[in-house]
Amino acid sequence: MIFSRLLVIPGPIEVADEVLFANAHPSMSHVSPEFVPVLGQCIRMIRDVLFTKDAQPFLISGSGTLGWDQVAANLVEPGESALVLNSGYFGDGFADCLQTYGAKVDQINAEIGAAVSQSEIEKALKAKKYKVITFTHVDTSTGVLSDAKLIAETVRRVSPDTLVVMDAVCSVASEDIRMDAWDLDVVLTASQKGLGTPPGLSILLASQRAVKVFETRSTPVTSYYGGWNKWLPVMKAYENGVASYFATPPVNLIYAFHESLTQITKASPSIENRFKLHREASQRVKNAAIELGLKQVPLDPKHSANGMTALYYPEGFGAADFLPRFANRGVVVAGGLHSSIKDKYFRIGHMGITVADSTRGDVNSIITALKEVVAEAKSQRV
Amino acid sequence: MIFSRLLVIPGPIEVADEVLFANAHPSMSHVSPEFVPVLGQCIRMIRDVLFTKDAQPFLISGSGTLGWDQVAANLVEPGESALVLNSGYFGDGFADCLQTYGAKVDQINAEIGAAVSQSEIEKALKAKKYKVITFTHVDTSTGVLSDAKLIAETVRRVSPDTLVVMDAVCSVASEDIRMDAWDLDVVLTASQKGLGTPPGLSILLASQRAVKVFETRSTPVTSYYGGWNKWLPVMKAYENGVASYFATPPVNLIYAFHESLTQITKASPSIENRFKLHREASQRVKNAAIELGLKQVPLDPKHSANGMTALYYPEGFGAADFLPRFANRGVVVAGGLHSSIKDKYFRIGHMGITVADSTRGDVNSIITALKEVVAEAKSQRV
């Protein structure tokens, strides 16, 4: 660390020095024999993070948002129906994206702080045939954690052909995700959250069922840059050690991603241990908040993310009372994002090396700052 | 430089140490008061590189290819006509992209090594009304340089409302481009060529005429991630020093881009001098090739790029005779890309610090390697 500033927003997160160093790799050709296996190994390692044997990864230069376009443009044909489980800001976005590419979208809106209930999902799936169902695993705007396993089970039972699409931007590598065992069709994410890499990489894994749906679609793909018709041969080639070209991959960022994936999949005692560290750190932050009398945005602790904490300001306090006081202590947290409650809450991220590298003491720093900020805000208000 | 390897393909190019260092910047919030002006300054500096006062830049995480999607999805409504001047591999791609988003595309194909002639352009524009005309300023597959000023003049005279779209992925910062004076409507590029930054940033500038065409379109934008309806408010906000969110920008890469833009616009004696250095280096490489009896892919020296050189192998020789011999000397050049002549030629890039920082001696290294490779290939064949 060059600056004595602790970045604990729910992404981008603190990035390990080795990963930053890899991002400064000397410039390399994207088709060189040195680089090809690096991208190939990233494809294999991201499968390990999600416990999948044969899902097809797509690693494309772009923000996490590009994953929505990939789903909308490759898996849903114009006029087909999509069901969006909306647990916050990012549900709105995914619905908007699907409509842009011609899907007919129905939404089930959860109340703020809640996930959509199983009975509502079941009812909707029985009433209408959907090509895809989408949900946000952890909605970064609220910290609500949806029960991915239960949602996937419900879909398979009630509407077996509906593709289960999980927006896992704020959950991959901070929540335990079993893509094959839970039978998820798409897991999409980005590099800058639990995966501990600078932003700029859209990461999406598609089940073989999803790939088949893509391959047998009857109308042309509706995106060019996000088209799997362009990227599938490229990803397969790189995994097989052969260079291929559609658009230039973000070479340096792939080196950085490779380093972070290596740390996540190999350097820790196990990846399960990494998830345990996230759960423990999360509990510590949440317990400290409870002791201070702060209320979480998620209504049910079971539906509360392990990589972030969303907390309402105490009655009578707002962003101006809290955020600058965190900043004065060198701790960067995030304000609200969900439009209905934007000015009423703030968010703390605790993902990646902040929880996995205990020598950093980041979780202690977060809790200390939280206690001091609440005390100072209250004392200066009296 | 950590490795003693010289990367002289036509992008990615050699990146200055200061730019690599900036790419390893400690992780920062994309909405922090420290980062917001960095992105804002990039927006202003890229205008300076293209000599435009009021064109609207879009800096979006993605490959250069994403610029095609932006044009196709924001400026052309489904069913409208586009004219593609095709001088190589990248003309094919742009046409494919426009069709993906519903444009009706006509193409004028130049013969290999040539640009489309003015009389053909004039004839096509008189025969039919086109919403946009696109051309590749430097086609990376052939090294053909189109006469951007002449094309724009011709369009304005014959079909004043047609938007002039220039794919300048392989020409920005290596060719002198006057966006306002030539009256170009779109200049699109990427970070990893003349702009001397690692790959991963789609850079596009739209004239106020183009922005107005976008704002007055009658059908919805056909891309979500590439939609200017999402990005225009974000770009305006950052330029005004205010954070805004649609999708997370590639923060580290923006720091790197900022450093490279600073070197290009401020550190050199002048940006005009930088273009002069590109012309001189290009002439040196091309003269050396002529002395060795090698034929350029571009048929007319006037239509030959200043940032790269495409050369046919001598009669009876191929990639296997040349590319490994360059590699043995630590000089990384590129093979052919244009499908019709793929195995008959190779490409050398000479952009960015390779030509602007004479202390590196890169141009000498290129010429020495070229001479040695030709001599060795010929001697071992006899």
Side-chain angles (χ1 to χ4, degrees):
Chain A
M1 272 213 316
I2 293 171
F3 297 158
S4 61
R5 187 192 294 117
L6 177 62
L7 182 64
V8 285
I9 63 173
I13 68 169
E14 287 286 320
V15 172
D17 290 346
E18 300 81 4
V19 177
L20 292 176
F21 185 71
N23 209 36
H25 194 286
S27 193
M28 296 289 288
S29 164
H30 51 300
V31 293
S32 63
E34 296 88 352
F35 175 69
V36 170
V38 175
L39 180 47
Q41 285 158 23
C42 287
I43 290 172
R44 284 186 284 272
M45 285 192 283
I46 190 65
R47 281 203 194 96
D48 294 342
V49 173
L50 291 164
F51 296 93
T52 175
K53 281 204 160 37
D54 66 352
Q56 176 61 54
F58 293 88
L59 307 179
I60 306 179
S61 178
S63 303
T65 304
L66 181 63
W68 295 346
D69 289 65
Q70 289 184 60
V71 169
N74 292 291
L75 293 178
V76 188
E77 302 190 44
E80 290 183 336
S81 293
L83 180 62
V84 173
L85 308 185
N86 190 328
S87 55
Y89 179 92
F90 293 90
D92 295 342
F94 208 156
D96 186 6
C97 178
L98 285 158
Q99 281 162 344
T100 299
Y101 291 95
K104 290 183 179 157
V105 177
D106 293 327
Q107 293 190 57
I108 309 179
N109 293 301
E111 67 175 310
I112 291 169
V116 175
S117 74
Q118 189 188 17
S119 62
E120 285 175 297
I121 297 169
E122 197 161 336
K123 195 175 142 201
L125 291 173
K126 280 178 176 161
K128 189 167 167 182
K129 176 91 179 165
Y130 291 100
K131 184 71 173 288
V132 299
I133 181 171
T134 77
F135 67 100
T136 316
H137 195 202
V138 168
D139 199 294
T140 320
S141 74
T142 58
V144 168
L145 172 70
S146 289
D147 187 338
K149 183 166 179 271
L150 184 72
I151 291 171
E153 273 174 11
T154 307
V155 178
R156 281 301 161 246
R157 179 166 48 77
V158 182
S159 179
D161 294 339
T162 300
L163 296 174
V164 179
V165 174
M166 181 162 91
D167 176 341
V169 169
C170 197
S171 69
V172 169
S174 60
E175 305 287 347
D176 195 346
I177 298 171
R178 307 280 164 157
M179 187 168 179
D180 285 356
W182 299 351
D183 204 5
L184 303 168
D185 290 305
V186 172
V187 175
L188 66 91
T189 189
S191 49
Q192 78 276 11
K193 307 213 180 199
L195 290 167
T197 307
L201 193 63
S202 163
I203 298 152
L204 183 148
L205 284 85
S207 70
Q208 287 305 319
R209 185 192 293 116
V211 171
K212 189 159 184 197
V213 165
F214 158 71
E215 286 174 337
T216 55
R217 59 182 287 150
S218 57
T219 58
V221 170
T222 51
S223 166
Y224 183 78
Y225 183 64
W228 291 353
N229 49 336
K230 307 296 181 189
W231 286 111
L232 192 55
V234 173
M235 292 298 141
K236 286 184 172 173
Y238 273 86
E239 186 169 5
N240 291 325
V242 180
S244 176
Y245 177 72
F246 166 57
T248 306
V251 177
N252 283 54
L253 191 61
I254 295 288
Y255 276 103
F257 188 44
H258 186 274
E259 174 60 32
S260 192
L261 281 172
T262 303
Q263 292 191 4
I264 291 170
T265 60
K266 299 190 176 69
S268 325
S270 72
I271 189 161
E272 281 90 347
N273 185 63
R274 199 176 177 93
F275 297 134
K276 183 163 157 275
L277 292 172
H278 279 82
R279 289 192 297 271
E280 288 170 357
S282 178
Q283 205 50 62
R284 285 186 59 205
V285 173
K286 288 171 174 68
N287 286 345
I290 290 167
E291 277 173 37
L292 290 165
L294 299 177
K295 195 184 143 207
Q296 279 192 61
V297 175
L299 301 169
D300 179 344
K302 271 193 322 202
H303 286 148
S304 188
N306 292 297
M308 65 173 288
T309 299
L311 298 167
Y312 286 107
Y313 301 116
E315 191 66 36
F317 291 85
D321 302 301
F322 271 55
L323 302 188
R325 289 194 166 95
F326 274 107
N328 289 344
R329 287 164 174 81
V331 175
V332 182
V333 301
L337 182 60
H338 193 297
S339 56
S340 318
I341 53 171
K342 199 173 186 318
D343 301 320
K344 296 184 176 165
Y345 76 112
F346 66 106
R347 299 171 297 152
I348 303 172
H350 28 78
M351 290 178 256
I353 56 172
T354 279
V355 308
D357 178 356
S358 62
T359 64
R360 297 172 54 99
D362 288 357
V363 179
N364 291 339
S365 303
I366 291 170
I367 292 172
T368 303
L370 182 63
K371 287 179 180 170
E372 289 179 8
V373 165
V374 170
E376 190 181 289
K378 290 191 170 174
S379 73
Q380 296 191 6
R381 179 61 65 92
V382 172
Chain B
M1 272 216 311
I2 293 172
F3 298 158
S4 60
R5 188 192 294 118
L6 176 62
L7 183 64
V8 284
I9 63 174
I13 68 167
E14 287 286 319
V15 173
D17 290 346
E18 299 80 5
V19 178
L20 292 176
F21 185 71
N23 209 36
H25 194 287
S27 192
M28 296 290 288
S29 166
H30 51 300
V31 293
S32 63
E34 295 88 350
F35 175 69
V36 170
V38 175
L39 181 46
Q41 285 158 22
C42 286
I43 291 172
R44 284 186 283 272
M45 283 192 283
I46 190 66
R47 282 203 194 96
D48 294 342
V49 173
L50 291 164
F51 296 93
T52 175
K53 282 207 157 36
D54 66 352
Q56 176 61 53
F58 294 89
L59 306 179
I60 306 179
S61 178
S63 304
T65 302
L66 181 63
W68 294 346
D69 289 65
Q70 290 184 60
V71 170
N74 293 292
L75 294 178
V76 188
E77 301 191 44
E80 290 182 336
S81 294
L83 179 62
V84 173
L85 308 185
N86 191 328
S87 55
Y89 178 92
F90 293 91
D92 295 342
F94 209 157
D96 186 7
C97 177
L98 285 158
Q99 281 161 345
T100 298
Y101 291 95
K104 290 185 179 155
V105 178
D106 292 326
Q107 293 190 57
I108 309 178
N109 293 301
E111 67 175 311
I112 293 169
V116 175
S117 73
Q118 189 187 17
S119 62
E120 286 174 297
I121 297 169
E122 196 161 337
K123 196 175 140 200
L125 290 173
K126 281 177 175 161
K128 191 167 166 182
K129 176 92 180 167
Y130 291 100
K131 185 71 172 290
V132 299
I133 181 172
T134 77
F135 66 100
T136 317
H137 195 201
V138 169
D139 198 294
T140 321
S141 73
T142 57
V144 168
L145 172 71
S146 289
D147 187 337
K149 182 166 179 273
L150 183 72
I151 292 171
E153 274 174 11
T154 307
V155 178
R156 280 303 159 246
R157 179 166 47 79
V158 183
S159 179
D161 294 340
T162 299
L163 297 173
V164 180
V165 174
M166 180 163 91
D167 177 341
V169 168
C170 198
S171 68
V172 169
S174 60
E175 305 287 347
D176 194 346
I177 298 171
R178 306 281 164 157
M179 189 169 178
D180 286 355
W182 300 350
D183 204 6
L184 302 168
D185 290 305
V186 172
V187 175
L188 66 91
T189 189
S191 49
Q192 78 276 10
K193 306 212 182 204
L195 290 167
T197 308
L201 194 64
S202 163
I203 299 151
L204 184 148
L205 285 85
S207 70
Q208 288 304 320
R209 185 192 293 118
V211 170
K212 187 157 187 201
V213 165
F214 158 71
E215 286 174 338
T216 55
R217 59 181 287 152
S218 58
T219 58
V221 170
T222 50
S223 167
Y224 182 76
Y225 182 64
W228 291 353
N229 48 335
K230 307 296 181 187
W231 287 111
L232 192 55
V234 173
M235 292 297 140
K236 285 184 173 173
Y238 274 87
E239 186 169 5
N240 291 325
V242 179
S244 176
Y245 177 72
F246 166 58
T248 307
V251 177
N252 284 53
L253 191 61
I254 295 288
Y255 276 103
F257 188 45
H258 186 274
E259 174 60 32
S260 192
L261 282 172
T262 303
Q263 292 191 6
I264 291 170
T265 61
K266 301 193 174 65
S268 325
S270 74
I271 190 159
E272 282 91 347
N273 185 61
R274 198 175 178 94
F275 297 134
K276 181 162 157 277
L277 292 172
H278 279 82
R279 288 192 297 271
E280 287 170 357
S282 179
Q283 206 50 61
R284 285 186 59 206
V285 173
K286 288 172 174 66
N287 286 345
I290 290 168
E291 277 175 35
L292 290 165
L294 298 177
K295 196 185 142 204
Q296 279 193 60
V297 174
L299 300 168
D300 179 346
K302 270 193 323 203
H303 287 147
S304 189
N306 292 298
M308 65 174 287
T309 299
L311 298 167
Y312 287 106
Y313 300 117
E315 190 68 35
F317 292 85
D321 302 302
F322 271 55
L323 302 188
R325 288 192 167 96
F326 275 107
N328 289 344
R329 286 163 174 82
V331 175
V332 182
V333 301
L337 182 60
H338 193 297
S339 56
S340 317
I341 52 170
K342 198 174 186 318
D343 300 321
K344 296 184 177 166
Y345 76 112
F346 66 106
R347 298 170 298 151
I348 303 172
H350 28 78
M351 289 178 257
I353 56 172
T354 280
V355 308
D357 178 357
S358 61
T359 65
R360 297 173 55 97
D362 289 356
V363 178
N364 290 339
S365 303
I366 291 170
I367 291 172
T368 303
L370 182 62
K371 287 180 180 171
E372 289 180 7
V373 165
V374 170
E376 189 181 290
K378 291 192 170 176
S379 73
Q380 296 190 5
R381 179 59 67 90
V382 172

